[in-house]
Amino acid sequence: MVRVTWREVGDAFGLRLVSGRETEKVVFAEDSSGQAYVLKAYSLRFPVDRLHHLLTHVRANGFRRTITLLLTQDGKPYWEAGGQRWVVMPRLPGRPAVYENERELARVAETLAAFHRAAVHAWSLRRGSDVPYLSRLTERYWEYLSAYRQASAQPGKSPIARWIAETGAVILREAEAGLAYLPVPALIAYSQRDVGLFGAVAHHDVARHNFLVNGPIVYLLDLDASGTDWQAGDLVQLISRALWDAQWRPDVALVATAAYERVRPLDPGERRLIPYLLRFPSDEMREALGVWRGIKGYSPSRSLAFAPRLATSVEARRMPRAPVPPLDRRGSAAPPPVIQSG
């Protein structure tokens, strides 16, 4: 494959880049006026046009705290070269969010809610009538079960294999319990509402590094994994990650939810779903699977740091953090009413 230099990318976008610094995924560069840019390469299969449409859509709806894609001299949001699609974005200022800081977490939750309010009626982004949020839970369970079986067969292969072999049964039991207690009909109804009625887009990856804090302003980055889905699933993911970072202080969940609802109120039924969904050990599975598969950005040291806190997290996930209605053990809970999603 022909190597494409960052200067060539800049030329395609009409930029005279004067310096650049490469990382694993991107290149940071600046032009002769000192304006900073991020250059990023995608596979030819990645739908850059769809990403550009979403970014244009949310900005038109008033959400401007996110990236923009520059257009090439041919008017496209990407330049195709070297078997990849290259995009260029003005670099946003700030540092990754700190979820243990409650004020910062509140600003992150408000930013996420503002994105959700703007990311509706994006019909060209619809992917069908499936239920992605529920699918991700069940898929993660089966992926982790497969990893547990492989690690148990070779526990001495690596430290992460030993950790999965030793703790996998506990995590899988918690996942099974989480799915067994989950009011599935209610979750499906809300997902169908957001996808089918509102064409609502969820971010799907609310890691700390995807929120840049610059004083009172918080920017939302990396919409690569976004898609039409139940938007409140992003809030569940944010709460779960914040609880991990804050050593399972229960007030963190209340801070994030209250801040989110100042911008985009939840239905009472959505609010009741949150503690059920928090019981599913998604973060423990994600960290272990990331190292197990050798995915960039996942390190054994960080993932193995979950080990001493596993017992605490399992116990904390079992504790309700909000009033929840009695479950219909037959799984026949009435679907929530279809109302406007803010």
Side-chain angles (χ1 to χ4, degrees):
M1 181 181 297
V2 178
R3 179 172 174 79
V4 177
T5 68
W6 54 267
R7 287 189 179 87
E8 290 178 284
V9 179
D11 289 344
F13 286 84
L15 299 174
R16 302 304 300 178
L17 298 176
V18 297
S19 64
R21 177 170 58 85
E22 294 194 31
T23 69
E24 288 185 342
K25 296 182 179 181
V26 300
V27 173
F28 298 104
E30 62 180 29
D31 61 18
S32 56
S33 68
Q35 172 67 49
Y37 294 93
V38 177
L39 287 60
K40 187 173 181 180
Y42 292 100
S43 75
L44 296 179
R45 296 186 301 275
F46 183 81
V48 178
D49 285 316
R50 189 168 67 81
L51 173 61
H52 178 62
H53 170 77
L54 173 60
L55 294 170
T56 303
H57 181 84
V58 298
R59 289 182 70 84
N61 284 345
F63 184 75
R64 300 180 180 276
R65 286 171 285 164
T66 188
I67 62 171
T68 55
L69 301 184
L70 296 187
L71 299 181
T72 65
Q73 299 186 73
D74 295 331
K76 296 181 178 180
Y78 62 87
W79 177 57
E80 200 166 296
Q84 294 179 303
R85 287 179 173 172
W86 294 83
V87 302
V88 173
M89 302 162 278
R91 188 175 182 183
L92 296 173
R95 55 165 176 77
V98 177
Y99 289 166
E100 302 97 305
N101 183 320
E102 292 188 3
R103 289 186 179 181
E104 206 155 290
L105 174 62
R107 293 206 298 273
V108 166
E110 290 171 348
T111 299
L112 180 63
F115 166 74
H116 286 164
R117 284 182 64 91
V120 294
H121 305 303
W123 302 112
S124 67
L125 301 180
R126 294 177 63 181
R127 293 181 175 175
S129 58
D130 60 332
V131 186
Y133 188 87
L134 182 58
S135 297
R136 284 200 305 279
L137 295 183
T138 56
E139 286 171 6
R140 180 155 290 175
Y141 170 81
W142 290 112
E143 289 167 358
Y144 200 83
L145 176 60
S146 175
Y148 170 63
R149 288 171 173 168
Q150 294 175 46
S152 298
Q154 303 180 58
K157 182 179 179 181
S158 65
I160 197 66
R162 185 164 56 253
W163 188 80
I164 293 175
E166 292 173 353
T167 65
V170 174
I171 293 175
L172 288 167
R173 279 199 301 271
E174 292 303 308
E176 290 163 1
L179 292 172
Y181 281 91
L182 178 63
V184 170
L187 177 57
I188 290 176
Y190 278 115
S191 298
Q192 291 176 338
R193 178 203 65 180
D194 277 14
V195 173
L197 185 61
F198 295 115
V201 176
H203 186 279
H204 286 160
D205 185 7
V206 295
R208 294 186 303 108
H209 59 264
N210 285 334
F211 291 93
L212 284 186
V213 178
N214 183 34
I217 300 174
V218 176
Y219 296 99
L220 176 60
L221 310 180
D222 196 3
L223 281 78
D224 294 359
S226 62
T228 49
D229 199 354
W230 180 53
Q231 290 184 325
D234 283 347
L235 176 61
V236 174
Q237 188 183 97
L238 175 63
I239 292 172
S240 181
R241 295 190 182 202
L243 285 167
W244 259 111
D245 289 351
Q247 303 288 321
W248 294 94
R249 293 199 320 267
D251 55 302
V252 167
L254 301 177
V255 167
T257 304
Y260 181 92
E261 291 205 83
R262 284 197 290 269
V263 178
R264 178 189 178 271
L266 298 169
D267 289 357
E270 286 182 296
R271 200 178 300 115
R272 287 193 293 267
L273 276 172
I274 291 176
Y276 289 109
L277 292 164
L278 287 174
R279 179 161 185 177
F280 190 86
S282 182
D283 290 306
E284 294 90 325
M285 291 180 168
R286 184 193 73 250
E287 287 292 331
L289 287 172
V291 177
W292 178 256
R293 296 170 176 169
I295 299 174
K296 288 183 179 180
Y298 288 91
S299 67
S301 59
R302 171 176 163 78
S303 297
L304 290 172
F306 275 59
R309 295 157 57 186
L310 179 61
T312 302
S313 75
V314 167
E315 186 62 29
R317 288 189 186 279
R318 292 174 180 170
M319 297 170 60
R321 294 178 187 82
V324 293
L327 267 179
D328 184 335
R329 303 302 295 174
R330 296 166 297 177
S332 58
V338 175
I339 65 173
Q340 191 166 355
S341 64

